[in-house]
Amino acid sequence: MNILLTGASGFIGRHLAAELTAAGHCITPVCRSQGLDFRRMLSVADWLPHLEGVDAVINSVGIIGESGTQRFNVLHTLAPCALFRACAQSGIRRVLQISALGADELAFSAYHLSKQAADDCLRRLDLDWFVLRPSLIYGPGGKSAGLLMRLAALPVIPVIGNGQQALQPVHISDVVATVMQSLTSPHTKQTLDIVGAEILSFADWLQTMRQAQRLPRARTIHIPFRVAMAIVRLGRYFNPLLQPDNLRMLQSGYRADFRPLAQFLGRAPLSAKPKLFFSEVVPTRGAS
Ligand SMILES: NC(=O)c1ccc[n+]([C@@H]2O[C@H](COP(=O)([O-])OP(=O)(O)OC[C@H]3O[C@@H](n4cnc5c(N)ncnc54)[C@H](OP(=O)(O)O)[C@@H]3O)[C@@H](O)[C@H]2O)c1
């Protein structure tokens, strides 16, 4: 297939591009480094010339925090909606949207609400769509996973409040496998939560990340939520991942039933084993 892959230079996009190419697909990458900026792709007409000869579209552009003119509304909603409508107009039926776990009726953050608006726009179109909602993804090259890895390696691990926030991390190869399956599955018009098999507390997840780095368990220091929020408000000037809303989302905790994903993949999602943190294993190509 000829596949237009947006966000091709990102964490998810790079893994997808590698697997799609290995499977014999031809990729048209879209990202700023390839000369296409979502901030200038806000109408159907902007997209149409880029869709000639394309069989399927995967949208994996996203930001975790706003900065300058990189705004949620533009990157997560306006440009993707224009792209989806352009697909409908060009007769491209298979469209996959990488959304995020929590982009649902309970969403409160600008991040989730902007994702949900694009998801809804896609769902309203008569296309063979998939809305894929990954939870926190781990594996080589992830920005948020990298930040948590560094946090986990500190001699004493800081956790927010009691550290019992629920996480259901998923390995990048399960995200890739779900995308690959969505490209050909006849069971279209699906919203799938891409979550790992286990629910862990934030504190346990950081200890697992220590284990992956061959470090012994560490003591945790409990930072009250209000103090953590004050630190994050300062930290956002140094790291775009440090945003008050991201802390609120972490505090809310996100979990989902993994059985629909397991049914779709024909196997359970991977369990978080230490070796997977640095592994690119992709089960669709037969690795176990
Ligand atoms: N990583 C996770 O744990 C996770 C979990 C759930 C959902 N998601 C969602 O999955 C998507 C991808 O995440 P990721 O981790 O792969 O993010 P990432 O590594 O930060 O990659 C973001 C991609 O978006 C592109 N991009 C950013 N601004 C752009 C613009 N103005 N125009 C065109 N392209 C632009 C970047 O390319 P350039 O910088 O080259 O333009 C890059 O290819 C996001 O929507 C994210 O919300 C991620």
Side-chain angles (χ1 to χ4, degrees), residues 100-130:
L101 191 66
D104 54 29
E105 60 286 352
L106 297 178
F108 60 85
S109 67
Y111 169 82
H112 274 140
L113 290 167
S114 59
K115 285 271 179 197
Q116 193 196 10
D119 301 351
D120 286 344
C121 166
L122 179 57
R123 289 186 189 106
R124 282 194 293 268
L125 294 169
D126 180 23
L127 294 173
D128 294 329
W129 55 261
F130 283 85

Coordinates of all heavy atoms in Angstrom, one line a residue, residues 100-130:
A100 N -5.4 9.2 22.1 CA -4.7 8.9 23.4 C -5.8 8.4 24.4 O -6.9 8.8 24.4 CB -4.1 10.2 24.0
L101 N -5.3 7.4 25.2 CA -6.2 6.9 26.3 C -6.7 8.1 27.1 O -5.9 9.0 27.6 CB -5.5 5.9 27.2 CG -6.3 5.1 28.2 CD1 -7.3 4.2 27.4 CD2 -5.5 4.3 29.1
G102 N -8.0 8.2 27.4 CA -8.5 9.3 28.2 C -9.2 10.4 27.3 O -9.8 11.3 27.8
A103 N -9.1 10.2 25.9 CA -9.8 11.2 25.0 C -11.2 10.7 24.9 O -11.6 10.2 23.8 CB -9.0 11.2 23.7
D104 N -12.0 10.8 25.9 CA -13.3 10.3 26.0 C -14.2 11.3 26.7 O -13.9 12.4 26.9 CB -13.4 8.9 26.6 CG -12.7 9.0 28.0 OD1 -12.8 10.0 28.7 OD2 -12.2 8.0 28.5
E105 N -15.4 10.8 27.1 CA -16.4 11.8 27.6 C -16.0 12.3 29.0 O -16.5 13.3 29.4 CB -17.8 11.1 27.7 CG -17.9 9.8 28.6 CD -17.3 8.6 27.9 OE1 -16.9 8.6 26.7 OE2 -17.2 7.6 28.6
L106 N -15.0 11.7 29.6 CA -14.5 12.3 30.9 C -13.3 13.2 30.7 O -12.7 13.7 31.7 CB -14.1 11.1 31.8 CG -15.2 10.1 32.2 CD1 -14.7 9.0 33.1 CD2 -16.3 10.9 33.0
A107 N -12.9 13.4 29.5 CA -11.7 14.2 29.3 C -11.8 15.6 29.8 O -12.9 16.2 29.8 CB -11.4 14.3 27.7
F108 N -10.8 16.2 30.4 CA -10.8 17.6 31.0 C -9.7 18.4 30.5 O -9.7 19.6 30.5 CB -10.8 17.5 32.5 CG -9.6 16.9 33.1 CD1 -8.5 17.6 33.3 CD2 -9.6 15.5 33.4 CE1 -7.3 17.0 33.8 CE2 -8.5 14.9 34.0 CZ -7.3 15.7 34.2
S109 N -8.6 17.8 30.0 CA -7.4 18.6 29.6 C -7.5 19.0 28.2 O -8.2 18.4 27.3 CB -6.1 17.7 29.8 OG -6.2 16.6 28.8
A110 N -6.9 20.1 27.9 CA -6.9 20.6 26.5 C -6.3 19.6 25.5 O -6.7 19.4 24.4 CB -6.1 21.9 26.4
Y111 N -5.3 18.8 26.0 CA -4.7 17.8 25.2 C -5.7 16.7 24.8 O -5.9 16.5 23.6 CB -3.5 17.1 26.1 CG -3.0 15.8 25.5 CD1 -2.0 15.9 24.5 CD2 -3.4 14.6 26.0 CE1 -1.5 14.7 24.0 CE2 -2.9 13.4 25.4 CZ -1.9 13.5 24.5 OH -1.4 12.3 23.9
H112 N -6.4 16.2 25.8 CA -7.4 15.1 25.5 C -8.6 15.7 24.7 O -9.1 15.0 23.8 CB -7.9 14.5 26.8 CG -7.0 13.4 27.3 ND1 -6.7 13.2 28.6 CD2 -6.4 12.4 26.6 CE1 -5.9 12.2 28.8 NE2 -5.7 11.7 27.6
L113 N -9.1 16.9 25.1 CA -10.2 17.4 24.4 C -9.9 17.7 22.9 O -10.8 17.4 22.1 CB -10.7 18.7 25.1 CG -11.3 18.5 26.5 CD1 -11.5 19.8 27.2 CD2 -12.7 17.8 26.4
S114 N -8.7 18.2 22.6 CA -8.4 18.4 21.2 C -8.2 17.1 20.4 O -8.6 17.1 19.3 CB -7.1 19.3 21.2 OG -6.0 18.6 21.8
K115 N -7.7 16.1 21.1 CA -7.7 14.8 20.4 C -9.1 14.2 20.2 O -9.4 13.7 19.1 CB -6.9 13.8 21.4 CG -5.4 14.0 21.4 CD -4.8 13.1 20.3 CE -3.3 13.3 20.3 NZ -2.8 12.8 19.0
Q116 N -9.9 14.4 21.2 CA -11.3 13.8 21.1 C -12.1 14.5 20.0 O -12.8 13.9 19.3 CB -12.0 14.0 22.4 CG -13.3 13.2 22.5 CD -14.1 13.7 23.7 OE1 -13.8 14.8 24.3 NE2 -15.1 13.0 24.0
A117 N -11.8 15.8 19.8 CA -12.5 16.5 18.7 C -12.2 16.0 17.4 O -13.1 15.8 16.5 CB -12.2 18.0 18.8
A118 N -10.9 15.6 17.2 CA -10.5 15.0 15.9 C -11.1 13.6 15.8 O -11.5 13.2 14.7 CB -9.0 15.0 15.8
D119 N -11.0 12.9 16.9 CA -11.6 11.5 16.8 C -13.0 11.5 16.4 O -13.5 10.7 15.6 CB -11.5 10.8 18.2 CG -10.0 10.8 18.7 OD1 -9.1 11.1 18.0 OD2 -9.9 10.4 19.9
D120 N -13.8 12.5 17.0 CA -15.2 12.6 16.7 C -15.4 13.0 15.2 O -16.4 12.5 14.6 CB -15.9 13.6 17.6 CG -16.1 13.1 19.0 OD1 -16.0 11.9 19.2 OD2 -16.3 13.9 19.9
C121 N -14.6 13.9 14.7 CA -14.7 14.3 13.3 C -14.5 13.1 12.4 O -15.3 12.9 11.5 CB -13.6 15.4 13.1 SG -13.3 15.7 11.4
L122 N -13.5 12.2 12.7 CA -13.2 11.1 11.9 C -14.4 10.1 12.0 O -14.9 9.5 11.0 CB -11.9 10.4 12.4 CG -11.5 9.1 11.6 CD1 -11.4 9.4 10.1 CD2 -10.2 8.6 12.2
R123 N -14.9 9.9 13.2 CA -16.0 8.9 13.4 C -17.3 9.3 12.6 O -18.1 8.5 12.3 CB -16.4 8.8 14.9 CG -15.4 8.2 15.8 CD -15.9 8.0 17.2 NE -14.8 7.5 18.1 CZ -14.3 8.3 19.0 NH1 -14.6 9.6 19.1 NH2 -13.3 7.9 19.8
R124 N -17.4 10.6 12.4 CA -18.6 11.1 11.7 C -18.5 10.8 10.2 O -19.5 10.9 9.5 CB -18.9 12.6 12.0 CG -19.5 12.8 13.3 CD -20.1 14.3 13.4 NE -19.0 15.2 13.4 CZ -18.4 15.7 14.5 NH1 -18.8 15.4 15.7 NH2 -17.4 16.6 14.3
L125 N -17.3 10.6 9.7 CA -17.2 10.4 8.2 C -17.4 8.9 7.9 O -17.1 8.0 8.6 CB -15.7 10.8 7.8 CG -15.4 12.3 8.0 CD1 -13.9 12.6 7.8 CD2 -16.3 13.2 7.0
D126 N -17.9 8.7 6.7 CA -18.2 7.4 6.2 C -16.9 6.8 5.6 O -16.7 6.7 4.4 CB -19.3 7.3 5.2 CG -19.6 5.9 4.7 OD1 -19.2 5.0 5.5 OD2 -20.1 5.8 3.6
L127 N -16.0 6.4 6.5 CA -14.7 5.9 6.1 C -14.4 4.6 6.9 O -15.1 4.3 7.8 CB -13.6 6.9 6.4 CG -13.6 8.2 5.7 CD1 -12.5 9.2 6.2 CD2 -13.4 8.0 4.2
D128 N -13.4 3.9 6.5 CA -13.0 2.7 7.2 C -12.0 3.1 8.3 O -10.8 2.9 8.1 CB -12.4 1.6 6.3 CG -13.4 1.1 5.3 OD1 -14.6 1.0 5.7 OD2 -13.0 0.8 4.2
W129 N -12.5 3.7 9.3 CA -11.7 4.4 10.3 C -11.3 3.5 11.5 O -12.1 2.6 11.8 CB -12.3 5.7 10.7 CG -13.7 5.7 11.3 CD1 -14.8 5.9 10.7 CD2 -14.0 5.3 12.7 NE1 -15.9 5.8 11.5 CE2 -15.4 5.4 12.7 CE3 -13.3 4.9 13.8 CZ2 -16.2 5.1 13.9 CZ3 -14.0 4.6 15.0 CH2 -15.4 4.7 15.0
F130 N -10.2 3.9 12.1 CA -9.8 3.4 13.4 C -9.4 4.5 14.3 O -8.5 5.3 13.8 CB -8.7 2.3 13.3 CG -9.1 1.0 12.8 CD1 -9.2 0.8 11.4 CD2 -9.4 0.0 13.7 CE1 -9.6 -0.5 11.0 CE2 -9.8 -1.3 13.2 CZ -9.9 -1.5 11.9

